[in-house]
């Protein structure tokens, strides 16, 4: 199996919920969004020029677990600075670390570089706690990859909440960190 996340590998299994499946699901929910196609991006740094071309708040996602193996999907604005030690206090947990690629696939059905809030559609057992950055949720438009990192969709935060509710996930909206003025 190809271990370089920056290349495509035809041997990888198909996503449990494809990007097109997600868009069809959003359409059925009556959620309006703008779809943008672009080159694959794997990091916030790589996506800066892509984000600059899309109206809305560029966002990132952290798939984390604590020492008790509780899993979190933390969704925040790119400019929200956060460190894991501080986040432990906000989430009332200890020893946060990033979830492995295998765990990401097993629980959210996406690959590294494509983590997004929409991936909870694959968490049918509700094992992931969704945390949303309050700063991000105060924006007019938020932007995320729809399961794959060569597309971005822009939608209203209340429509993200509608989607999460339809998947049986009630997110916690928390003040996660400070906005980093230099990354805006």
């Amino acid at each position: 199996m190809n271990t370089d996340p920056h290349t495509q590998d035809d041997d990888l299994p198909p996503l449990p919920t494809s990007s097109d499946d997600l868009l069809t699901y959003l359409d059925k929910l009556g959620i309006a969004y703008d779809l943008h196609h672009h080159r694959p991006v794997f990091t916030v740094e790589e996506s800066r020029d892509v984000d600059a071309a899309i109206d809305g708040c560029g966002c990132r996602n952290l798939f984390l677990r604590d020492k008790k193996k509780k899993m979190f999907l933390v969704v925040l604005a790119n400019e929200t600075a956060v460190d894991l030690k501080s986040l432990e206090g906000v989430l009332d947990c200890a020893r946060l670390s990033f979830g492995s690629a295998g765990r990401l696939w097993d629980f959210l059905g996406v690959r590294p570089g494509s983590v997004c809030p929409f991936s909870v559609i694959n968490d049918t057992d509700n094992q992931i706690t969704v945390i949303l950055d309050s700063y991000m949720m105060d924006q007019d438009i938020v932007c995320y990859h729809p399961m794959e990192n060569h597309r971005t969709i822009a939608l209203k935060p209340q429509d993200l909440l509608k989607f999460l509710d339809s998947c049986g996930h009630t997110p916690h909206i928390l003040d996660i960190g400070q906005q980093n003025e230099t990354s805006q």
Side-chain angles (χ1 to χ4, degrees), residues 66-138:
D66 69 5
K67 73 176 186 176
K68 295 180 180 178
K69 299 184 181 177
K70 183 173 180 182
M71 294 174 288
F72 301 91
L73 179 59
V74 180
V75 185
L76 59 160
N78 285 344
E79 63 263 23
T80 299
V82 65
D83 67 58
L84 294 186
K85 276 290 180 203
S86 297
L87 195 54
E88 289 172 359
V90 172
L91 300 180
D92 193 28
C93 64
R95 287 197 315 230
L96 279 175
S97 61
F98 289 95
S100 68
R103 186 175 292 274
L104 179 64
W105 179 259
D106 290 344
F107 290 94
L108 292 176
V110 292
R111 297 181 181 94
S114 297
V115 182
C116 64
F118 305 115
S119 59
V120 299
I121 196 169
N122 297 317
D123 178 32
T124 56
D125 293 333
N126 289 314
Q127 296 185 47
I128 310 297
T129 300
V130 179
I131 308 296
L132 303 176
D133 174 24
S134 60
Y135 171 80
M136 175 191 71
M137 295 304 288
D138 286 341

Side-chain angles (χ1 to χ4, degrees), residues 8-69:
Q8 298 299 318
D9 189 330
D10 293 332
D11 294 334
L12 294 175
L15 297 174
T17 303
S18 73
S19 185
D20 289 336
D21 293 340
L22 173 67
L23 298 177
T24 298
Y25 186 79
L26 295 175
D27 291 340
K28 286 181 182 176
L29 290 175
I31 291 177
Y33 57 87
D34 290 325
L35 176 64
H36 304 271
H37 298 266
H38 51 77
R39 64 178 164 63
V41 291
F42 294 85
T43 66
V44 170
E45 188 61 37
E46 285 181 17
S47 71
R48 291 199 190 281
D49 63 322
V50 170
D51 291 344
I54 299 172
D55 288 333
C57 177
C59 301
R60 68 187 195 272
N61 304 271
L62 307 175
F63 177 59
L64 305 169
R65 64 180 267 194
D66 69 5
K67 73 176 186 176
K68 295 180 180 178
K69 299 184 181 177

Side-chain angles (χ1 to χ4, degrees), residues 142-162:
V142 290
C143 301
Y144 312 102
H145 295 307
M147 312 303 268
E148 297 177 284
N149 60 6
H150 65 278
R151 293 171 153 180
T152 295
I153 59 174
L155 71 163
K156 294 179 180 179
Q158 60 266 32
D159 285 330
L160 174 63
L161 294 175
K162 181 178 181 178

